[in-house]
Amino acid sequence: MAVKSFSIRIEEEMLDKLSYVATYEGRSANSHVLVLIRESIRAFEEANGSIDGDIRPDENVKPGKK
């Protein structure tokens, strides 16, 4: 599985709050964003049907260390 980088523009205050929530949950901001993305995909698929592809949003898709 290829892992891609994805940049976003975000207000500093929003990033600070995201980082606060992520730390509270015991995650990095990056890992927390992945959790939120998985939750969004899962909700979409539950409402609209499965999206083609091999990755399931209910599974941990974080790549292993090499």
Side-chain angles (χ1 to χ4, degrees):
M1 165 181 42
V3 176
K4 303 277 185 161
S5 293
F6 178 74
S7 298
I8 63 168
R9 289 185 264 306
I10 185 170
E11 292 90 357
E12 185 175 3
E13 182 180 355
M14 190 179 298
L15 180 58
D16 290 344
K17 289 183 177 188
L18 174 72
S19 295
Y20 183 94
V21 173
T23 299
Y24 182 85
E25 297 288 331
R27 302 183 184 104
S28 66
N30 187 80
S31 292
H32 192 65
V33 168
L34 290 174
V35 167
L36 297 172
I37 290 169
R38 282 189 213 110
E39 289 174 356
S40 176
I41 292 169
R42 184 180 313 115
F44 181 90
E45 288 185 330
E46 285 177 3
N48 299 287
S50 183
I51 301 170
D52 290 339
D54 295 332
I55 294 176
R56 307 290 359 130
D58 55 336
E59 297 175 4
N60 184 2
V61 297
K62 184 176 179 180
K65 293 184 180 184
K66 294 184 178 195

